[in-house]
Amino acid sequence: MSLKLPDTFLWGGATADFQFEGGFGEGGRGLLTRDYETDGNVTTPRQLTLKMPDGSRTSVNSSFFQCQPFPEGAKPCIYDDQYYPSHQAVDGYHHWKEDIALMAEMGFSVYRFSITWSRIFPLGDEETPNEEGIQFYVDMVDELLAHDIQPLITICHDELPAHLAEKHNGWESRETIDEYLKLCRVLFERIGTKCKYWLTFNEINAIAGYIATGSPKTDPQTHYRCIHHMFLASSKAIQMGHEMMPGSMFGTMYASSEVYPASCKPDDVFRRMQFRHMTQFFSDVMAQGYYPYYAQDIFRRLNVDPTEFILDGDEEILAAGTLDYVTFSYYRSALIKAGDELKRLGGSPTNPYLETTPWGWQIDPVGLRYVMNEVYDRYRKPIFIVENGLGAIDEADENGYVEDDYRIAYLRDHLREMAKAICIDGVECLGYTMWGCFDLVSLSTGEMAKRYGFVYIDMDDKGNGTLKRSKKKSFDWFKQVCATNGDSLWDGVDTDAVVAAD
């Protein structure tokens, strides 16, 4: 038995539009729910006032959804001294050709990115798409393919057009399902024959609140109503995609960081099972096509009445559009004990056997192997690791070079465990995309100080900088990983001994 990965294994990186793309107000892009976010916080919708380049102030409400272009040299992400990271992000909108060239130099065979819904339908409910917006993605896909990089497209990444949030309360309404399917149809028609891998939603088991659901309400009844409508939208999109693009594969992405019981005390072990149910509920519905038996316990504890949103015919829709493969993010593990809340990751004391990052995330490579086995054993569908990486404070020299040996060590240890899961355990894994392959704005805090990438981007926490791209030490390291299909991970290691000791 060897630790050699399949020749078809895909290597690459991943980004999200609101953290990477920017281009606010350009090319007809409309306002997103994400655009209200300031430094990791959300400004109350309908009360935000944007200061425009001419000095005037525009109230963001139903009469202002077509963002205005900003003159050259203006900062499109600062209004009344408030910084809105998604408006510029790291300006992938203007650097995409340069960025794809760097991906190709590293040897990527796949790149996961997400669609800005309001770039294609600025309001979300137009009858025809914004041609300039869809052409942006057509050109990007063509450029990727020209470099032999397969696109892995996330259709909806934790956001929706702000107009749909105001008009329908977002995913509270079934009308948003129809608008989502309109977006899917345009994507499938224009780039579908060029793209095999699709994700209908991102981390659907971890989203919450106005930004991701479009609803101003956060009570459990409303949340699970929104989630059910997203389940239906995903299932219908998968059915549509299979009809329009034979051979295409559809997944949805889940947050799957591992949680262990804090002790072998039976109550702690049982609490871990309850926590896992809370997260696996989403993938169970979408991968298996029906609500699991334990859903009744979840709804009971949260005081949710599913008969209010599960209507006649919905079960058939869910069953007809199940996932082709299951993707997930994995960064860390945590502990849970009896009495801990079920809606958080961990909450118990830290694991004494693991190191911790400056952001309090515990580094656990073996946990990745555990999750891979857990997911594959549960669904027996191919899996794809679409987010994994180390957020760290990188110190760049005057040339933008970062000697990030700590990132190399983190990735090497995780990728070795991934290889064990595939080659020893027999898990069918399609590929791996490292999160934030280029430095980007942090989702949780809106900062740049927490960097993940192989490529350093000259920008600070308030959007200042040249945006110059520079290769870190990990760039050439990952280039070698891609070139050898993972064999270089084991340089200097007796792999026969590794397998024998397992």
Side-chain angles (χ1 to χ4, degrees):
M1 178 180 292
S2 73
L3 291 172
K4 186 172 182 59
L5 295 171
D7 293 338
T8 55
F9 193 82
L10 297 171
W11 294 96
T15 63
D17 59 305
F18 58 88
Q19 295 170 266
F20 189 74
E21 184 179 293
F24 179 86
E26 298 190 58
R29 176 196 185 281
L31 197 69
L32 288 169
T33 51
R34 182 67 62 175
D35 291 332
Y36 291 106
E37 193 169 34
T38 65
D39 300 89
N41 298 304
V42 181
T43 304
T44 304
R46 305 177 182 85
Q47 294 181 0
L48 176 62
T49 299
L50 303 187
K51 185 176 182 180
M52 306 309 291
D54 62 2
S56 64
R57 286 174 168 76
T58 303
S59 177
V60 177
N61 51 42
S62 59
S63 65
F64 179 74
F65 287 100
Q66 188 64 38
C67 303
Q68 301 181 29
F70 289 81
E72 187 174 353
K75 295 293 289 183
C77 48
I78 299 178
Y79 311 97
D80 292 342
D81 298 324
Q82 285 288 331
Y83 173 54
Y84 295 82
S86 69
H87 296 195
Q88 175 180 262
V90 293
D91 201 29
Y93 186 73
H94 295 108
H95 291 80
W96 61 272
K97 281 193 175 183
E98 172 191 356
D99 293 341
I100 290 174
L102 286 167
M103 295 177 201
E105 184 180 344
M106 262 189 289
F108 280 18
S109 49
V110 63
Y111 171 48
R112 178 195 171 208
F113 64 95
S114 59
I115 300 295
T116 301
W117 187 341
S118 66
R119 192 173 293 287
I120 297 177
F121 288 98
L123 300 179
D125 61 358
E126 295 92 342
E127 288 303 314
T128 58
N130 168 35
E131 181 58 32
E132 189 173 353
I134 186 63
Q135 191 61 46
F136 171 73
Y137 294 110
V138 171
D139 293 343
M140 183 187 296
V141 166
D142 287 344
E143 187 75 7
L144 287 167
L145 295 175
H147 288 282
D148 296 321
I149 301 172
Q150 293 197 50
L152 196 171
I153 298 177
T154 307
I155 298 171
C156 183
H157 197 123
D158 306 351
E159 64 193 15
L160 70 163
H163 177 64
L164 293 183
E166 185 161 301
K167 182 179 180 181
H168 300 307
N169 282 339
W171 287 103
E172 273 195 62
S173 170
R174 289 185 175 236
E175 292 180 73
T176 301
I177 298 174
D178 297 331
E179 304 300 350
Y180 174 83
L181 294 174
K182 190 191 302 179
L183 169 68
C184 292
R185 181 171 293 279
V186 169
L187 293 173
F188 298 165
E189 287 175 346
R190 296 294 296 274
I191 59 178
T193 58
K194 305 174 184 180
C195 305
K196 179 178 181 179
Y197 298 104
W198 299 83
L199 302 177
T200 53
F201 292 100
N202 175 74
E203 286 194 344
I204 194 171
N205 62 328
I207 63 171
Y210 168 81
I211 283 177
T213 69
S215 172
K217 295 181 285 186
T218 58
D219 61 283
Q221 183 71 30
T222 301
H223 179 72
Y224 279 92
R225 175 186 177 88
C226 290
I227 291 297
H228 179 70
H229 293 162
M230 295 171 81
F231 287 160
L232 295 175
S234 176
S235 186
K236 289 184 174 184
I238 292 171
Q239 294 175 65
M240 180 195 299
H242 285 162
E243 291 173 3
M244 296 177 66
M245 307 174 296
S248 58
M249 294 185 68
F250 283 83
T252 288
M253 200 274 257
Y254 306 94
S256 295
S257 294
E258 187 50 60
V259 175
Y260 305 115
S263 76
C264 55
K265 181 180 178 182
D267 286 348
D268 291 348
V269 176
F270 190 80
R271 196 58 167 174
R272 188 267 177 190
M273 185 195 74
Q274 289 179 309
F275 181 89
R276 225 46 182 153
H277 279 170
M278 291 289 291
T279 59
Q280 291 171 335
F281 161 80
F282 301 84
S283 49
D284 279 356
V285 174
M286 301 176 83
Q288 298 174 336
Y290 55 87
Y291 276 74
Y293 74 92
Y294 60 80
Q296 62 180 348
D297 180 54
I298 293 175
F299 292 150
R300 176 191 60 79
R301 282 187 278 107
L302 296 175
N303 197 29
V304 170
D305 177 11
T307 63
E308 182 266 334
F309 51 77
I310 300 178
L311 306 183
D312 289 344
D314 285 358
E315 290 89 349
E316 289 76 10
I317 294 172
L318 295 178
T322 56
L323 305 179
D324 300 311
Y325 65 115
V326 180
T327 79
F328 58 86
S329 61
Y330 177 87
Y331 294 100
R332 54 176 169 162
S333 66
L335 302 178
I336 194 168
K337 66 180 187 302
D340 283 346
E341 290 187 61
L342 294 175
K343 60 184 179 181
R344 294 181 182 175
L345 180 61
S348 292
T350 55
N351 191 327
Y353 299 102
L354 301 176
E355 296 181 11
T356 301
T357 74
W359 279 269
W361 292 17
Q362 295 213 273
I363 300 173
D364 181 10
V366 177
L368 174 59
R369 183 180 181 183
Y370 189 101
V371 169
M372 291 175 69
N373 275 273
E374 185 179 45
V375 174
Y376 187 64
D377 182 61
R378 194 173 187 90
Y379 304 118
R380 296 302 172 94
K381 295 174 183 280
I383 68 169
F384 205 130
I385 304 166
V386 295
E387 283 190 29
N388 169 247
L390 176 68
I393 298 173
D394 291 341
E395 297 293 339
D397 65 17
E398 64 275 9
N399 299 313
Y401 181 75
V402 178
E403 193 140 349
D404 55 342
D405 293 300
Y406 42 86
R407 180 168 292 108
I408 292 172
Y410 175 98
L411 294 173
R412 180 199 63 223
D413 293 347
H414 282 76
L415 292 174
R416 284 179 176 177
E417 294 301 324
M418 177 192 77
K420 291 178 186 177
I422 296 169
C423 301
I424 298 177
D425 306 334
V427 173
E428 184 181 0
C429 182
L430 300 173
Y432 172 92
T433 56
M434 194 273 278
W435 174 248
C437 47
F438 290 65
D439 288 345
L440 39 63
V441 176
S442 170
L443 167 65
S444 57
T445 61
E447 63 185 341
M448 279 296 292
K450 186 181 184 182
R451 296 174 181 268
Y452 284 86
F454 300 122
V455 176
Y456 182 87
I457 295 182
D458 179 30
M459 195 182 93
D460 67 16
D461 286 347
K462 295 298 182 182
N464 301 303
T466 65
L467 298 172
K468 177 184 175 183
R469 274 69 167 148
S470 303
K471 304 171 190 175
K472 303 178 188 178
K473 184 177 182 178
S474 57
F475 182 100
D476 288 323
W477 175 83
F478 194 68
K479 180 178 180 179
Q480 185 67 9
V481 172
C482 295
T484 63
N485 194 29
D487 289 350
S488 64
L489 295 167
W490 304 101
D491 286 350
V493 177
D494 183 348
T495 54
D496 289 337
V498 171
V499 173
D502 191 74

